[in-house]
PDB file of all heavy atoms in Angstrom:
ATOM      1  N   PHE A   1      -3.367   6.176 -11.878  1.00 98.00           N
ATOM      2  CA  PHE A   1      -2.087   5.716 -12.432  1.00 98.00           C
ATOM      3  C   PHE A   1      -1.116   6.884 -12.279  1.00 98.00           C
ATOM      4  O   PHE A   1      -1.404   8.013 -12.693  1.00 98.00           O
ATOM      5  CB  PHE A   1      -2.231   5.361 -13.921  1.00 98.00           C
ATOM      6  CG  PHE A   1      -3.077   4.152 -14.162  1.00 98.00           C
ATOM      7  CD1 PHE A   1      -4.421   4.248 -14.450  1.00 98.00           C
ATOM      8  CD2 PHE A   1      -2.524   2.878 -14.063  1.00 98.00           C
ATOM      9  CE1 PHE A   1      -5.204   3.137 -14.677  1.00 98.00           C
ATOM     10  CE2 PHE A   1      -3.300   1.743 -14.295  1.00 98.00           C
ATOM     11  CZ  PHE A   1      -4.633   1.869 -14.596  1.00 98.00           C
ATOM     12  N   LEU A   2       0.066   6.615 -11.705  1.00 97.00           N
ATOM     13  CA  LEU A   2       1.029   7.691 -11.463  1.00 97.00           C
ATOM     14  C   LEU A   2       2.441   7.124 -11.371  1.00 97.00           C
ATOM     15  O   LEU A   2       2.625   5.912 -11.133  1.00 97.00           O
ATOM     16  CB  LEU A   2       0.661   8.450 -10.214  1.00 97.00           C
ATOM     17  CG  LEU A   2       0.762   7.781  -8.850  1.00 97.00           C
ATOM     18  CD1 LEU A   2       0.685   8.832  -7.745  1.00 97.00           C
ATOM     19  CD2 LEU A   2      -0.388   6.776  -8.629  1.00 97.00           C
ATOM     20  N   PRO A   3       3.463   7.974 -11.575  1.00 97.00           N
ATOM     21  CA  PRO A   3       4.844   7.494 -11.433  1.00 97.00           C
ATOM     22  C   PRO A   3       5.089   6.966 -10.043  1.00 97.00           C
ATOM     23  O   PRO A   3       4.539   7.490  -9.057  1.00 97.00           O
ATOM     24  CB  PRO A   3       5.676   8.764 -11.692  1.00 97.00           C
ATOM     25  CG  PRO A   3       4.775   9.649 -12.495  1.00 97.00           C
ATOM     26  CD  PRO A   3       3.392   9.389 -11.998  1.00 97.00           C
ATOM     27  N   ILE A   4       5.895   5.912  -9.954  1.00 97.00           N
ATOM     28  CA  ILE A   4       6.100   5.269  -8.671  1.00 97.00           C
ATOM     29  C   ILE A   4       6.641   6.222  -7.628  1.00 97.00           C
ATOM     30  O   ILE A   4       6.341   6.118  -6.423  1.00 97.00           O
ATOM     31  CB  ILE A   4       7.029   4.049  -8.842  1.00 97.00           C
ATOM     32  CG1 ILE A   4       7.012   3.162  -7.576  1.00 97.00           C
ATOM     33  CG2 ILE A   4       8.443   4.451  -9.255  1.00 97.00           C
ATOM     34  CD1 ILE A   4       7.685   1.835  -7.739  1.00 97.00           C
ATOM     35  N   GLU A   5       7.421   7.235  -8.045  1.00 96.00           N
ATOM     36  CA  GLU A   5       7.976   8.195  -7.098  1.00 96.00           C
ATOM     37  C   GLU A   5       6.887   9.030  -6.408  1.00 96.00           C
ATOM     38  O   GLU A   5       7.103   9.567  -5.327  1.00 96.00           O
ATOM     39  CB  GLU A   5       8.983   9.115  -7.783  1.00 96.00           C
ATOM     40  CG  GLU A   5      10.197   8.433  -8.365  1.00 96.00           C
ATOM     41  CD  GLU A   5       9.946   7.793  -9.733  1.00 96.00           C
ATOM     42  OE1 GLU A   5       8.844   7.964 -10.296  1.00 96.00           O
ATOM     43  OE2 GLU A   5      10.871   7.146 -10.242  1.00 96.00           O
ATOM     44  N   GLU A   6       5.730   9.139  -7.066  1.00 97.00           N
ATOM     45  CA  GLU A   6       4.664   9.983  -6.527  1.00 97.00           C
ATOM     46  C   GLU A   6       3.621   9.164  -5.726  1.00 97.00           C
ATOM     47  O   GLU A   6       2.715   9.737  -5.131  1.00 97.00           O
ATOM     48  CB  GLU A   6       3.957  10.714  -7.658  1.00 97.00           C
ATOM     49  CG  GLU A   6       4.855  11.663  -8.422  1.00 97.00           C
ATOM     50  CD  GLU A   6       4.148  12.328  -9.583  1.00 97.00           C
ATOM     51  OE1 GLU A   6       2.896  12.266  -9.629  1.00 97.00           O
ATOM     52  OE2 GLU A   6       4.826  12.860 -10.478  1.00 97.00           O
ATOM     53  N   ALA A   7       3.786   7.850  -5.712  1.00 97.00           N
ATOM     54  CA  ALA A   7       2.796   6.999  -5.032  1.00 97.00           C
ATOM     55  C   ALA A   7       3.075   6.978  -3.530  1.00 97.00           C
ATOM     56  O   ALA A   7       4.142   6.558  -3.095  1.00 97.00           O
ATOM     57  CB  ALA A   7       2.871   5.606  -5.607  1.00 97.00           C
ATOM     58  N   LYS A   8       2.126   7.415  -2.753  1.00 97.00           N
ATOM     59  CA  LYS A   8       2.279   7.474  -1.288  1.00 97.00           C
ATOM     60  C   LYS A   8       1.085   6.799  -0.625  1.00 97.00           C
ATOM     61  O   LYS A   8      -0.077   7.067  -0.972  1.00 97.00           O
ATOM     62  CB  LYS A   8       2.353   8.933  -0.803  1.00 97.00           C
ATOM     63  CG  LYS A   8       3.356   9.800  -1.551  1.00 97.00           C
ATOM     64  CD  LYS A   8       4.779   9.331  -1.321  1.00 97.00           C
ATOM     65  CE  LYS A   8       5.755  10.251  -2.097  1.00 97.00           C
ATOM     66  NZ  LYS A   8       7.168   9.759  -1.983  1.00 97.00           N
ATOM     67  N   VAL A   9       1.387   5.938   0.349  1.00 96.00           N
ATOM     68  CA  VAL A   9       0.342   5.275   1.116  1.00 96.00           C
ATOM     69  C   VAL A   9       0.245   5.959   2.471  1.00 96.00           C
ATOM     70  O   VAL A   9       1.249   6.240   3.111  1.00 96.00           O
ATOM     71  CB  VAL A   9       0.669   3.788   1.311  1.00 96.00           C
ATOM     72  CG1 VAL A   9      -0.396   3.090   2.165  1.00 96.00           C
ATOM     73  CG2 VAL A   9       0.784   3.090  -0.040  1.00 96.00           C
ATOM     74  N   PRO A  10      -0.980   6.262   2.950  1.00 96.00           N
ATOM     75  CA  PRO A  10      -1.140   6.931   4.225  1.00 96.00           C
ATOM     76  C   PRO A  10      -0.485   6.203   5.379  1.00 96.00           C
ATOM     77  O   PRO A  10      -0.467   4.951   5.417  1.00 96.00           O
ATOM     78  CB  PRO A  10      -2.650   6.991   4.410  1.00 96.00           C
ATOM     79  CG  PRO A  10      -3.186   6.986   3.030  1.00 96.00           C
ATOM     80  CD  PRO A  10      -2.274   6.089   2.245  1.00 96.00           C
ATOM     81  N   PHE A  11       0.067   6.956   6.298  1.00 97.00           N
ATOM     82  CA  PHE A  11       0.800   6.417   7.430  1.00 97.00           C
ATOM     83  C   PHE A  11      -0.019   5.410   8.238  1.00 97.00           C
ATOM     84  O   PHE A  11       0.498   4.391   8.694  1.00 97.00           O
ATOM     85  CB  PHE A  11       1.230   7.587   8.353  1.00 97.00           C
ATOM     86  CG  PHE A  11       2.105   7.168   9.501  1.00 97.00           C
ATOM     87  CD1 PHE A  11       3.477   7.075   9.331  1.00 97.00           C
ATOM     88  CD2 PHE A  11       1.554   6.878  10.747  1.00 97.00           C
ATOM     89  CE1 PHE A  11       4.298   6.709  10.394  1.00 97.00           C
ATOM     90  CE2 PHE A  11       2.364   6.532  11.795  1.00 97.00           C
ATOM     91  CZ  PHE A  11       3.723   6.428  11.631  1.00 97.00           C
ATOM     92  N   MET A  12      -1.307   5.643   8.416  1.00 98.00           N
ATOM     93  CA  MET A  12      -2.154   4.799   9.263  1.00 98.00           C
ATOM     94  C   MET A  12      -2.841   3.699   8.485  1.00 98.00           C
ATOM     95  O   MET A  12      -3.819   3.100   8.955  1.00 98.00           O
ATOM     96  CB  MET A  12      -3.190   5.650   9.998  1.00 98.00           C
ATOM     97  CG  MET A  12      -2.597   6.691  10.931  1.00 98.00           C
ATOM     98  SD  MET A  12      -1.586   5.960  12.265  1.00 98.00           S
ATOM     99  CE  MET A  12      -2.870   5.296  13.311  1.00 98.00           C
ATOM    100  N   ASP A  13      -2.347   3.358   7.320  1.00 98.00           N
ATOM    101  CA  ASP A  13      -2.946   2.256   6.571  1.00 98.00           C
ATOM    102  C   ASP A  13      -2.771   0.953   7.345  1.00 98.00           C
ATOM    103  O   ASP A  13      -1.673   0.657   7.869  1.00 98.00           O
ATOM    104  CB  ASP A  13      -2.297   2.136   5.196  1.00 98.00           C
ATOM    105  CG  ASP A  13      -3.060   1.174   4.291  1.00 98.00           C
ATOM    106  OD1 ASP A  13      -2.825  -0.054   4.368  1.00 98.00           O
ATOM    107  OD2 ASP A  13      -3.890   1.654   3.522  1.00 98.00           O
ATOM    108  N   ARG A  14      -3.827   0.154   7.422  1.00 98.00           N
ATOM    109  CA  ARG A  14      -3.782  -1.065   8.222  1.00 98.00           C
ATOM    110  C   ARG A  14      -2.873  -2.154   7.601  1.00 98.00           C
ATOM    111  O   ARG A  14      -2.448  -3.058   8.289  1.00 98.00           O
ATOM    112  CB  ARG A  14      -5.205  -1.597   8.431  1.00 98.00           C
ATOM    113  CG  ARG A  14      -5.995  -0.756   9.425  1.00 98.00           C
ATOM    114  CD  ARG A  14      -7.423  -1.246   9.528  1.00 98.00           C
ATOM    115  NE  ARG A  14      -7.532  -2.594  10.079  1.00 98.00           N
ATOM    116  CZ  ARG A  14      -7.711  -2.868  11.387  1.00 98.00           C
ATOM    117  NH1 ARG A  14      -7.771  -1.873  12.263  1.00 98.00           N
ATOM    118  NH2 ARG A  14      -7.832  -4.112  11.792  1.00 98.00           N
ATOM    119  N   GLY A  15      -2.577  -2.019   6.326  1.00 98.00           N
ATOM    120  CA  GLY A  15      -1.608  -2.932   5.746  1.00 98.00           C
ATOM    121  C   GLY A  15      -0.227  -2.711   6.348  1.00 98.00           C
ATOM    122  O   GLY A  15       0.522  -3.665   6.596  1.00 98.00           O
ATOM    123  N   PHE A  16       0.103  -1.456   6.649  1.00 97.00           N
ATOM    124  CA  PHE A  16       1.369  -1.112   7.251  1.00 97.00           C
ATOM    125  C   PHE A  16       1.363  -1.420   8.749  1.00 97.00           C
ATOM    126  O   PHE A  16       2.343  -1.962   9.301  1.00 97.00           O
ATOM    127  CB  PHE A  16       1.645   0.386   7.021  1.00 97.00           C
ATOM    128  CG  PHE A  16       2.873   0.896   7.731  1.00 97.00           C
ATOM    129  CD1 PHE A  16       4.147   0.438   7.424  1.00 97.00           C
ATOM    130  CD2 PHE A  16       2.751   1.869   8.718  1.00 97.00           C
ATOM    131  CE1 PHE A  16       5.273   0.921   8.100  1.00 97.00           C
ATOM    132  CE2 PHE A  16       3.848   2.365   9.395  1.00 97.00           C
ATOM    133  CZ  PHE A  16       5.121   1.870   9.077  1.00 97.00           C
ATOM    134  N   MET A  17       0.250  -1.146   9.421  1.00 97.00           N
ATOM    135  CA  MET A  17       0.171  -1.332  10.844  1.00 97.00           C
ATOM    136  C   MET A  17       0.033  -2.798  11.274  1.00 97.00           C
ATOM    137  O   MET A  17       0.609  -3.243  12.251  1.00 97.00           O
ATOM    138  CB  MET A  17      -1.022  -0.530  11.425  1.00 97.00           C
ATOM    139  CG  MET A  17      -0.815   0.960  11.356  1.00 97.00           C
ATOM    140  SD  MET A  17       0.470   1.490  12.501  1.00 97.00           S
ATOM    141  CE  MET A  17       0.686   3.192  12.025  1.00 97.00           C
ATOM    142  N   PHE A  18      -0.786  -3.552  10.532  1.00 97.00           N
ATOM    143  CA  PHE A  18      -1.130  -4.923  10.935  1.00 97.00           C
ATOM    144  C   PHE A  18      -0.852  -6.001   9.870  1.00 97.00           C
ATOM    145  O   PHE A  18      -1.033  -7.186  10.178  1.00 97.00           O
ATOM    146  CB  PHE A  18      -2.644  -5.007  11.260  1.00 97.00           C
ATOM    147  CG  PHE A  18      -3.076  -4.188  12.432  1.00 97.00           C
ATOM    148  CD1 PHE A  18      -3.904  -3.102  12.266  1.00 97.00           C
ATOM    149  CD2 PHE A  18      -2.672  -4.530  13.731  1.00 97.00           C
ATOM    150  CE1 PHE A  18      -4.322  -2.346  13.347  1.00 97.00           C
ATOM    151  CE2 PHE A  18      -3.102  -3.757  14.807  1.00 97.00           C
ATOM    152  CZ  PHE A  18      -3.930  -2.676  14.615  1.00 97.00           C
ATOM    153  N   GLY A  19      -0.460  -5.614   8.695  1.00 97.00           N
ATOM    154  CA  GLY A  19      -0.458  -6.596   7.596  1.00 97.00           C
ATOM    155  C   GLY A  19      -1.879  -7.020   7.283  1.00 97.00           C
ATOM    156  O   GLY A  19      -2.122  -8.147   6.849  1.00 97.00           O
ATOM    157  N   ASP A  20      -2.823  -6.114   7.494  1.00 98.00           N
ATOM    158  CA  ASP A  20      -4.259  -6.409   7.371  1.00 98.00           C
ATOM    159  C   ASP A  20      -4.654  -6.250   5.904  1.00 98.00           C
ATOM    160  O   ASP A  20      -5.216  -5.218   5.510  1.00 98.00           O
ATOM    161  CB  ASP A  20      -5.050  -5.474   8.275  1.00 98.00           C
ATOM    162  CG  ASP A  20      -6.524  -5.813   8.348  1.00 98.00           C
ATOM    163  OD1 ASP A  20      -6.941  -6.809   7.717  1.00 98.00           O
ATOM    164  OD2 ASP A  20      -7.288  -5.079   9.016  1.00 98.00           O
ATOM    165  N   GLY A  21      -4.399  -7.270   5.126  1.00 98.00           N
ATOM    166  CA  GLY A  21      -4.762  -7.213   3.707  1.00 98.00           C
ATOM    167  C   GLY A  21      -4.339  -8.490   3.006  1.00 98.00           C
ATOM    168  O   GLY A  21      -3.759  -9.400   3.597  1.00 98.00           O
ATOM    169  N   VAL A  22      -4.650  -8.532   1.719  1.00 98.00           N
ATOM    170  CA  VAL A  22      -4.327  -9.709   0.887  1.00 98.00           C
ATOM    171  C   VAL A  22      -3.664  -9.205  -0.394  1.00 98.00           C
ATOM    172  O   VAL A  22      -3.697  -8.009  -0.699  1.00 98.00           O
ATOM    173  CB  VAL A  22      -5.560 -10.540   0.572  1.00 98.00           C
ATOM    174  CG1 VAL A  22      -6.249 -11.006   1.860  1.00 98.00           C
ATOM    175  CG2 VAL A  22      -6.562  -9.764  -0.288  1.00 98.00           C
ATOM    176  N   TYR A  23      -3.068 -10.147  -1.127  1.00 98.00           N
ATOM    177  CA  TYR A  23      -2.426  -9.757  -2.373  1.00 98.00           C
ATOM    178  C   TYR A  23      -2.614 -10.841  -3.413  1.00 98.00           C
ATOM    179  O   TYR A  23      -3.070 -11.961  -3.122  1.00 98.00           O
ATOM    180  CB  TYR A  23      -0.948  -9.473  -2.146  1.00 98.00           C
ATOM    181  CG  TYR A  23      -0.077 -10.682  -1.933  1.00 98.00           C
ATOM    182  CD1 TYR A  23       0.743 -11.187  -2.948  1.00 98.00           C
ATOM    183  CD2 TYR A  23      -0.046 -11.328  -0.695  1.00 98.00           C
ATOM    184  CE1 TYR A  23       1.540 -12.292  -2.757  1.00 98.00           C
ATOM    185  CE2 TYR A  23       0.762 -12.415  -0.484  1.00 98.00           C
ATOM    186  CZ  TYR A  23       1.540 -12.916  -1.524  1.00 98.00           C
ATOM    187  OH  TYR A  23       2.344 -14.013  -1.315  1.00 98.00           O
ATOM    188  N   GLU A  24      -2.244 -10.520  -4.629  1.00 98.00           N
ATOM    189  CA  GLU A  24      -2.330 -11.469  -5.739  1.00 98.00           C
ATOM    190  C   GLU A  24      -1.261 -11.106  -6.753  1.00 98.00           C
ATOM    191  O   GLU A  24      -0.761  -9.976  -6.765  1.00 98.00           O
ATOM    192  CB  GLU A  24      -3.722 -11.420  -6.370  1.00 98.00           C
ATOM    193  CG  GLU A  24      -4.027 -12.565  -7.334  1.00 98.00           C
ATOM    194  CD  GLU A  24      -3.852 -13.930  -6.698  1.00 98.00           C
ATOM    195  OE1 GLU A  24      -4.598 -14.300  -5.770  1.00 98.00           O
ATOM    196  OE2 GLU A  24      -2.921 -14.655  -7.151  1.00 98.00           O
ATOM    197  N   GLY A  25      -0.854 -12.082  -7.562  1.00 97.00           N
ATOM    198  CA  GLY A  25       0.140 -11.831  -8.598  1.00 97.00           C
ATOM    199  C   GLY A  25      -0.194 -12.633  -9.833  1.00 97.00           C
ATOM    200  O   GLY A  25      -0.618 -13.787  -9.729  1.00 97.00           O
ATOM    201  N   VAL A  26       0.024 -12.025 -10.987  1.00 98.00           N
ATOM    202  CA  VAL A  26      -0.336 -12.630 -12.257  1.00 98.00           C
ATOM    203  C   VAL A  26       0.837 -12.545 -13.213  1.00 98.00           C
ATOM    204  O   VAL A  26       1.447 -11.475 -13.348  1.00 98.00           O
ATOM    205  CB  VAL A  26      -1.595 -11.965 -12.868  1.00 98.00           C
ATOM    206  CG1 VAL A  26      -1.942 -12.583 -14.218  1.00 98.00           C
ATOM    207  CG2 VAL A  26      -2.767 -12.018 -11.916  1.00 98.00           C
ATOM    208  N   GLY A  27       1.131 -13.635 -13.893  1.00 97.00           N
ATOM    209  CA  GLY A  27       2.175 -13.616 -14.900  1.00 97.00           C
ATOM    210  C   GLY A  27       1.723 -12.888 -16.156  1.00 97.00           C
ATOM    211  O   GLY A  27       0.526 -12.872 -16.487  1.00 97.00           O
TER     212      GLY A  27
END
């Protein structure tokens, strides 16, 4: 858990490169 300003995703993440992932949302 960290402040949003400090959250960094690696450059070669496949979510960034390919959209290779899934998501979910909860009210």
Side-chain angles (χ1 to χ4, degrees):
F1 292 96
L2 67 166
I4 192 169
E5 297 82 6
E6 298 177 16
K8 310 294 181 185
V9 178
F11 185 86
M12 298 299 286
D13 191 275
R14 286 176 65 92
F16 174 64
M17 291 291 171
F18 295 113
D20 187 2
V22 302
Y23 74 103
E24 193 56 65
V26 179

